[in-house]
Amino acid sequence: MPWPILTCLALAAAIALHVRWRARFLRALLTARKELERLQREHQQAELQLRTQQQALFDSMAEGLLLLDDRGRIRLANRAFTKLFGQSADIRSRTILEALRLHELAELVSLLGEKTPVFAKELKLSRPAERWLEINGAAIFDGGGRRYGTVLVFHDLTRLKQLENTRKDFVANVSHELRTPLSLIKGYVETLLDGAKDNPEVAPKFLRTIQRNADRLQLLIEDLLAISELESGNVQLNLEIVPVGPIVRRVLEDFRARAEAKRVELADETAGLSVRADPARLEQVLGNLVDNAIKYGRVNGRVTVGGAALPEGQVRLFVRDDGGGIPPESLGRLFERFYRVDKARSREQGGTGLGLAIVKHIVQSHGGKVWAESQLGRGATFSFSLPAGPVAFSSSDLSSAAAEGASS
Ligand code: ADP
């Protein structure tokens, strides 16, 4: 074969080989690129999943959490933190000072380092609301000892602080309430021992004062025991369907003498109502409210116990008087332990300042609510709600109610 033809054939073979290999190479390149893209997508997805899981985990924490990067800029804030600080804007990439304006905290974070890798600090915030926080901070280092961030955990201590203050106030109040009658008893006993016991003109009067103050102490201790039992949460309620009428009649009967002494008329407007309650506790609630209505009501006045069915299976019972009423600023505080509108008047009437707190606890332990309405000079109405009994209670309820009513 002549050379030119051979050369041409060799060239053609080389070109064919080249085209074939190029096509193969391009196909392999394409496959490799697709594989790379798939791996990248998988990686991104895994990263997103990890970040979502991390955020969900942090958001499920009760404590506020902040992660800062190596330059002190916020990288992550969880939901509890956002709530604690009332933050609505995105604070990522800002510093603590820019985002929170807490100079003290910013300084503590800046002092974190290898020598002091952690801190714990209590802080009181006044914005957005008054709050007590315990903040724990820790610097994070990588394997080579290089600082790459900070983690801050915020515990809300507000509720604990409030409880602590309530407990302190309670102890102070109890001590104060006990001290007054005790010092009177002590004073009169000393006077009697110093010779007054032989003076028939003053001795009986002093002894009566001692007796009155001893009664007061006893009442106070009984009320304190009742409150602590109710607050312990261990109260066993004997819930039953109770017709209200017989209980109201019994309570009014107990207070009849006191009402007559003040010429107060007692009225019962609870006919036909029944509730699901512990009868002894219901009697205690009504007793406290009727007692107050007579105590703080007017001479020649009227005290009414009434009620009505409420929607959603509840019954409202109330005790109304036409006395001097309660100033509006006191209405919201009446159910606090030891709160009295007029301290001197309450003590003079033998009050302990705990009656309405006991009422509130009993009603709440039945799942009900208690509230007071009043216009100064135009009397007061104390109402509470309880779960309703059947609309028309059975004949056996009625007969037992009638029997109780007759015996009281
Ligand atoms: P207290 O032993 O002082 O009566 P309570 O807890 O029963 O304690 O009542 C708290 C305060 O609420 C009373 O000191 C009184 O100032 C006020 N209060 C209660 N009931 C009435 C009422 N019916 N009318 C006016 N004030 C009342």
PDB file of all heavy atoms in Angstrom, residues 245-268:
ATOM      1  N   GLY A 245     -79.044  25.237  99.919  1.00  0.00           N
ATOM      2  CA  GLY A 245     -79.992  25.791 100.901  1.00  0.00           C
ATOM      3  C   GLY A 245     -79.712  25.394 102.343  1.00  0.00           C
ATOM      4  O   GLY A 245     -79.522  26.269 103.198  1.00  0.00           O
ATOM      5  N   PRO A 246     -79.640  24.092 102.655  1.00  0.00           N
ATOM      6  CA  PRO A 246     -79.466  23.701 104.055  1.00  0.00           C
ATOM      7  C   PRO A 246     -78.177  24.248 104.663  1.00  0.00           C
ATOM      8  O   PRO A 246     -78.148  24.612 105.838  1.00  0.00           O
ATOM      9  CB  PRO A 246     -79.404  22.171 103.984  1.00  0.00           C
ATOM     10  CG  PRO A 246     -80.050  21.813 102.701  1.00  0.00           C
ATOM     11  CD  PRO A 246     -79.855  22.948 101.766  1.00  0.00           C
ATOM     12  N   ILE A 247     -77.111  24.307 103.842  1.00  0.00           N
ATOM     13  CA  ILE A 247     -75.837  24.813 104.386  1.00  0.00           C
ATOM     14  C   ILE A 247     -75.967  26.297 104.709  1.00  0.00           C
ATOM     15  O   ILE A 247     -75.542  26.765 105.765  1.00  0.00           O
ATOM     16  CB  ILE A 247     -74.682  24.569 103.383  1.00  0.00           C
ATOM     17  CG1 ILE A 247     -74.494  23.066 103.243  1.00  0.00           C
ATOM     18  CG2 ILE A 247     -73.412  25.262 103.821  1.00  0.00           C
ATOM     19  CD1 ILE A 247     -73.291  22.629 102.493  1.00  0.00           C
ATOM     20  N   VAL A 248     -76.617  27.037 103.801  1.00  0.00           N
ATOM     21  CA  VAL A 248     -76.785  28.481 104.039  1.00  0.00           C
ATOM     22  C   VAL A 248     -77.627  28.692 105.302  1.00  0.00           C
ATOM     23  O   VAL A 248     -77.292  29.528 106.154  1.00  0.00           O
ATOM     24  CB  VAL A 248     -77.457  29.157 102.816  1.00  0.00           C
ATOM     25  CG1 VAL A 248     -77.816  30.604 103.114  1.00  0.00           C
ATOM     26  CG2 VAL A 248     -76.523  29.084 101.618  1.00  0.00           C
ATOM     27  N   ARG A 249     -78.682  27.904 105.441  1.00  0.00           N
ATOM     28  CA  ARG A 249     -79.549  28.069 106.622  1.00  0.00           C
ATOM     29  C   ARG A 249     -78.762  27.808 107.901  1.00  0.00           C
ATOM     30  O   ARG A 249     -78.892  28.525 108.883  1.00  0.00           O
ATOM     31  CB  ARG A 249     -80.754  27.122 106.529  1.00  0.00           C
ATOM     32  CG  ARG A 249     -81.831  27.671 105.579  1.00  0.00           C
ATOM     33  CD  ARG A 249     -83.150  26.959 105.773  1.00  0.00           C
ATOM     34  NE  ARG A 249     -83.138  25.593 105.252  1.00  0.00           N
ATOM     35  CZ  ARG A 249     -83.231  25.290 103.959  1.00  0.00           C
ATOM     36  NH1 ARG A 249     -83.347  26.245 103.064  1.00  0.00           N
ATOM     37  NH2 ARG A 249     -83.217  24.033 103.556  1.00  0.00           N
ATOM     38  N   ARG A 250     -77.881  26.778 107.843  1.00  0.00           N
ATOM     39  CA  ARG A 250     -77.087  26.449 109.038  1.00  0.00           C
ATOM     40  C   ARG A 250     -76.131  27.596 109.374  1.00  0.00           C
ATOM     41  O   ARG A 250     -76.000  27.989 110.529  1.00  0.00           O
ATOM     42  CB  ARG A 250     -76.300  25.168 108.765  1.00  0.00           C
ATOM     43  CG  ARG A 250     -76.114  24.343 109.990  1.00  0.00           C
ATOM     44  CD  ARG A 250     -75.822  22.902 109.698  1.00  0.00           C
ATOM     45  NE  ARG A 250     -74.855  22.673 108.637  1.00  0.00           N
ATOM     46  CZ  ARG A 250     -75.014  21.749 107.697  1.00  0.00           C
ATOM     47  NH1 ARG A 250     -76.112  21.025 107.665  1.00  0.00           N
ATOM     48  NH2 ARG A 250     -74.086  21.567 106.784  1.00  0.00           N
ATOM     49  N   VAL A 251     -75.498  28.150 108.348  1.00  0.00           N
ATOM     50  CA  VAL A 251     -74.542  29.251 108.581  1.00  0.00           C
ATOM     51  C   VAL A 251     -75.287  30.461 109.161  1.00  0.00           C
ATOM     52  O   VAL A 251     -74.850  31.066 110.146  1.00  0.00           O
ATOM     53  CB  VAL A 251     -73.826  29.637 107.256  1.00  0.00           C
ATOM     54  CG1 VAL A 251     -73.042  30.923 107.412  1.00  0.00           C
ATOM     55  CG2 VAL A 251     -72.906  28.510 106.803  1.00  0.00           C
ATOM     56  N   LEU A 252     -76.427  30.799 108.557  1.00  0.00           N
ATOM     57  CA  LEU A 252     -77.161  31.977 109.031  1.00  0.00           C
ATOM     58  C   LEU A 252     -77.628  31.768 110.474  1.00  0.00           C
ATOM     59  O   LEU A 252     -77.621  32.709 111.275  1.00  0.00           O
ATOM     60  CB  LEU A 252     -78.352  32.274 108.115  1.00  0.00           C
ATOM     61  CG  LEU A 252     -77.974  32.700 106.678  1.00  0.00           C
ATOM     62  CD1 LEU A 252     -79.216  33.080 105.878  1.00  0.00           C
ATOM     63  CD2 LEU A 252     -76.998  33.869 106.673  1.00  0.00           C
ATOM     64  N   GLU A 253     -77.984  30.532 110.790  1.00  0.00           N
ATOM     65  CA  GLU A 253     -78.424  30.236 112.160  1.00  0.00           C
ATOM     66  C   GLU A 253     -77.270  30.477 113.140  1.00  0.00           C
ATOM     67  O   GLU A 253     -77.462  31.068 114.199  1.00  0.00           O
ATOM     68  CB  GLU A 253     -78.898  28.781 112.211  1.00  0.00           C
ATOM     69  CG  GLU A 253     -79.897  28.463 113.307  1.00  0.00           C
ATOM     70  CD  GLU A 253     -80.982  29.507 113.455  1.00  0.00           C
ATOM     71  OE1 GLU A 253     -81.646  29.827 112.451  1.00  0.00           O
ATOM     72  OE2 GLU A 253     -81.145  30.023 114.579  1.00  0.00           O
ATOM     73  N   ASP A 254     -76.061  30.036 112.736  1.00  0.00           N
ATOM     74  CA  ASP A 254     -74.887  30.217 113.609  1.00  0.00           C
ATOM     75  C   ASP A 254     -74.613  31.696 113.895  1.00  0.00           C
ATOM     76  O   ASP A 254     -74.086  32.043 114.941  1.00  0.00           O
ATOM     77  CB  ASP A 254     -73.625  29.630 112.941  1.00  0.00           C
ATOM     78  CG  ASP A 254     -73.641  28.122 112.962  1.00  0.00           C
ATOM     79  OD1 ASP A 254     -74.494  27.556 113.672  1.00  0.00           O
ATOM     80  OD2 ASP A 254     -72.826  27.512 112.232  1.00  0.00           O
ATOM     81  N   PHE A 255     -74.933  32.540 112.916  1.00  0.00           N
ATOM     82  CA  PHE A 255     -74.603  33.970 113.079  1.00  0.00           C
ATOM     83  C   PHE A 255     -75.805  34.799 113.531  1.00  0.00           C
ATOM     84  O   PHE A 255     -75.716  36.018 113.615  1.00  0.00           O
ATOM     85  CB  PHE A 255     -74.041  34.538 111.766  1.00  0.00           C
ATOM     86  CG  PHE A 255     -72.624  34.099 111.517  1.00  0.00           C
ATOM     87  CD1 PHE A 255     -72.352  32.992 110.747  1.00  0.00           C
ATOM     88  CD2 PHE A 255     -71.564  34.772 112.106  1.00  0.00           C
ATOM     89  CE1 PHE A 255     -71.056  32.563 110.535  1.00  0.00           C
ATOM     90  CE2 PHE A 255     -70.259  34.355 111.906  1.00  0.00           C
ATOM     91  CZ  PHE A 255     -70.000  33.234 111.116  1.00  0.00           C
ATOM     92  N   ARG A 256     -76.938  34.129 113.798  1.00  0.00           N
ATOM     93  CA  ARG A 256     -78.169  34.887 114.101  1.00  0.00           C
ATOM     94  C   ARG A 256     -77.971  35.816 115.304  1.00  0.00           C
ATOM     95  O   ARG A 256     -78.316  36.991 115.247  1.00  0.00           O
ATOM     96  CB  ARG A 256     -79.341  33.925 114.330  1.00  0.00           C
ATOM     97  CG  ARG A 256     -80.666  34.660 114.364  1.00  0.00           C
ATOM     98  CD  ARG A 256     -81.843  33.872 113.879  1.00  0.00           C
ATOM     99  NE  ARG A 256     -81.698  33.147 112.644  1.00  0.00           N
ATOM    100  CZ  ARG A 256     -81.858  33.679 111.420  1.00  0.00           C
ATOM    101  NH1 ARG A 256     -82.108  34.971 111.279  1.00  0.00           N
ATOM    102  NH2 ARG A 256     -81.722  32.935 110.350  1.00  0.00           N
ATOM    103  N   ALA A 257     -77.363  35.292 116.379  1.00  0.00           N
ATOM    104  CA  ALA A 257     -77.220  36.103 117.592  1.00  0.00           C
ATOM    105  C   ALA A 257     -76.364  37.341 117.297  1.00  0.00           C
ATOM    106  O   ALA A 257     -76.700  38.462 117.715  1.00  0.00           O
ATOM    107  CB  ALA A 257     -76.596  35.266 118.696  1.00  0.00           C
ATOM    108  N   ARG A 258     -75.280  37.122 116.570  1.00  0.00           N
ATOM    109  CA  ARG A 258     -74.398  38.266 116.244  1.00  0.00           C
ATOM    110  C   ARG A 258     -75.146  39.288 115.393  1.00  0.00           C
ATOM    111  O   ARG A 258     -74.996  40.498 115.564  1.00  0.00           O
ATOM    112  CB  ARG A 258     -73.157  37.784 115.471  1.00  0.00           C
ATOM    113  CG  ARG A 258     -72.198  36.955 116.281  1.00  0.00           C
ATOM    114  CD  ARG A 258     -70.880  37.676 116.498  1.00  0.00           C
ATOM    115  NE  ARG A 258     -70.475  38.480 115.374  1.00  0.00           N
ATOM    116  CZ  ARG A 258     -69.677  38.065 114.392  1.00  0.00           C
ATOM    117  NH1 ARG A 258     -69.214  36.836 114.416  1.00  0.00           N
ATOM    118  NH2 ARG A 258     -69.345  38.873 113.424  1.00  0.00           N
ATOM    119  N   ALA A 259     -75.941  38.774 114.446  1.00  0.00           N
ATOM    120  CA  ALA A 259     -76.683  39.688 113.563  1.00  0.00           C
ATOM    121  C   ALA A 259     -77.718  40.471 114.375  1.00  0.00           C
ATOM    122  O   ALA A 259     -77.866  41.688 114.200  1.00  0.00           O
ATOM    123  CB  ALA A 259     -77.360  38.896 112.458  1.00  0.00           C
ATOM    124  N   GLU A 260     -78.398  39.777 115.293  1.00  0.00           N
ATOM    125  CA  GLU A 260     -79.434  40.457 116.085  1.00  0.00           C
ATOM    126  C   GLU A 260     -78.829  41.544 116.954  1.00  0.00           C
ATOM    127  O   GLU A 260     -79.396  42.630 117.101  1.00  0.00           O
ATOM    128  CB  GLU A 260     -80.193  39.441 116.945  1.00  0.00           C
ATOM    129  CG  GLU A 260     -81.341  38.810 116.161  1.00  0.00           C
ATOM    130  CD  GLU A 260     -81.928  37.572 116.838  1.00  0.00           C
ATOM    131  OE1 GLU A 260     -81.567  37.298 117.999  1.00  0.00           O
ATOM    132  OE2 GLU A 260     -82.725  36.885 116.162  1.00  0.00           O
ATOM    133  N   ALA A 261     -77.624  41.254 117.483  1.00  0.00           N
ATOM    134  CA  ALA A 261     -76.967  42.257 118.340  1.00  0.00           C
ATOM    135  C   ALA A 261     -76.721  43.547 117.557  1.00  0.00           C
ATOM    136  O   ALA A 261     -76.664  44.636 118.119  1.00  0.00           O
ATOM    137  CB  ALA A 261     -75.661  41.700 118.867  1.00  0.00           C
ATOM    138  N   LYS A 262     -76.594  43.418 116.247  1.00  0.00           N
ATOM    139  CA  LYS A 262     -76.333  44.609 115.419  1.00  0.00           C
ATOM    140  C   LYS A 262     -77.590  44.996 114.628  1.00  0.00           C
ATOM    141  O   LYS A 262     -77.516  45.841 113.743  1.00  0.00           O
ATOM    142  CB  LYS A 262     -75.198  44.258 114.440  1.00  0.00           C
ATOM    143  CG  LYS A 262     -74.147  45.340 114.313  1.00  0.00           C
ATOM    144  CD  LYS A 262     -72.985  44.872 113.465  1.00  0.00           C
ATOM    145  CE  LYS A 262     -72.351  46.059 112.771  1.00  0.00           C
ATOM    146  NZ  LYS A 262     -71.217  45.711 111.945  1.00  0.00           N
ATOM    147  N   ARG A 263     -78.675  44.318 114.945  1.00  0.00           N
ATOM    148  CA  ARG A 263     -79.973  44.497 114.261  1.00  0.00           C
ATOM    149  C   ARG A 263     -79.827  44.360 112.726  1.00  0.00           C
ATOM    150  O   ARG A 263     -80.330  45.171 111.952  1.00  0.00           O
ATOM    151  CB  ARG A 263     -80.608  45.852 114.639  1.00  0.00           C
ATOM    152  CG  ARG A 263     -81.021  45.902 116.109  1.00  0.00           C
ATOM    153  CD  ARG A 263     -81.823  47.134 116.432  1.00  0.00           C
ATOM    154  NE  ARG A 263     -81.097  48.381 116.246  1.00  0.00           N
ATOM    155  CZ  ARG A 263     -80.186  48.847 117.092  1.00  0.00           C
ATOM    156  NH1 ARG A 263     -79.867  48.149 118.176  1.00  0.00           N
ATOM    157  NH2 ARG A 263     -79.564  49.987 116.862  1.00  0.00           N
ATOM    158  N   VAL A 264     -79.071  43.323 112.353  1.00  0.00           N
ATOM    159  CA  VAL A 264     -78.869  43.063 110.916  1.00  0.00           C
ATOM    160  C   VAL A 264     -79.836  41.964 110.474  1.00  0.00           C
ATOM    161  O   VAL A 264     -79.970  40.938 111.150  1.00  0.00           O
ATOM    162  CB  VAL A 264     -77.408  42.608 110.650  1.00  0.00           C
ATOM    163  CG1 VAL A 264     -77.236  42.139 109.202  1.00  0.00           C
ATOM    164  CG2 VAL A 264     -76.443  43.743 110.934  1.00  0.00           C
ATOM    165  N   GLU A 265     -80.510  42.210 109.371  1.00  0.00           N
ATOM    166  CA  GLU A 265     -81.451  41.213 108.848  1.00  0.00           C
ATOM    167  C   GLU A 265     -80.691  40.242 107.940  1.00  0.00           C
ATOM    168  O   GLU A 265     -79.879  40.670 107.120  1.00  0.00           O
ATOM    169  CB  GLU A 265     -82.498  41.971 108.018  1.00  0.00           C
ATOM    170  CG  GLU A 265     -83.686  41.132 107.627  1.00  0.00           C
ATOM    171  CD  GLU A 265     -84.529  41.892 106.602  1.00  0.00           C
ATOM    172  OE1 GLU A 265     -84.527  43.153 106.657  1.00  0.00           O
ATOM    173  OE2 GLU A 265     -85.126  41.235 105.757  1.00  0.00           O
ATOM    174  N   LEU A 266     -80.938  38.938 108.108  1.00  0.00           N
ATOM    175  CA  LEU A 266     -80.241  37.932 107.285  1.00  0.00           C
ATOM    176  C   LEU A 266     -81.221  37.354 106.264  1.00  0.00           C
ATOM    177  O   LEU A 266     -82.340  36.985 106.620  1.00  0.00           O
ATOM    178  CB  LEU A 266     -79.703  36.799 108.168  1.00  0.00           C
ATOM    179  CG  LEU A 266     -78.694  37.206 109.247  1.00  0.00           C
ATOM    180  CD1 LEU A 266     -78.327  36.006 110.120  1.00  0.00           C
ATOM    181  CD2 LEU A 266     -77.425  37.795 108.621  1.00  0.00           C
ATOM    182  N   ALA A 267     -80.810  37.301 105.000  1.00  0.00           N
ATOM    183  CA  ALA A 267     -81.724  36.799 103.966  1.00  0.00           C
ATOM    184  C   ALA A 267     -81.050  35.697 103.154  1.00  0.00           C
ATOM    185  O   ALA A 267     -79.852  35.760 102.869  1.00  0.00           O
ATOM    186  CB  ALA A 267     -82.116  37.944 103.040  1.00  0.00           C
ATOM    187  N   ASP A 268     -81.872  34.679 102.793  1.00  0.00           N
ATOM    188  CA  ASP A 268     -81.359  33.552 102.001  1.00  0.00           C
ATOM    189  C   ASP A 268     -82.068  33.531 100.649  1.00  0.00           C
ATOM    190  O   ASP A 268     -83.279  33.384 100.590  1.00  0.00           O
ATOM    191  CB  ASP A 268     -81.618  32.254 102.787  1.00  0.00           C
ATOM    192  CG  ASP A 268     -81.322  31.012 101.959  1.00  0.00           C
ATOM    193  OD1 ASP A 268     -80.735  31.144 100.870  1.00  0.00           O
ATOM    194  OD2 ASP A 268     -81.671  29.901 102.412  1.00  0.00           O
TER     195      ASP A 268
END
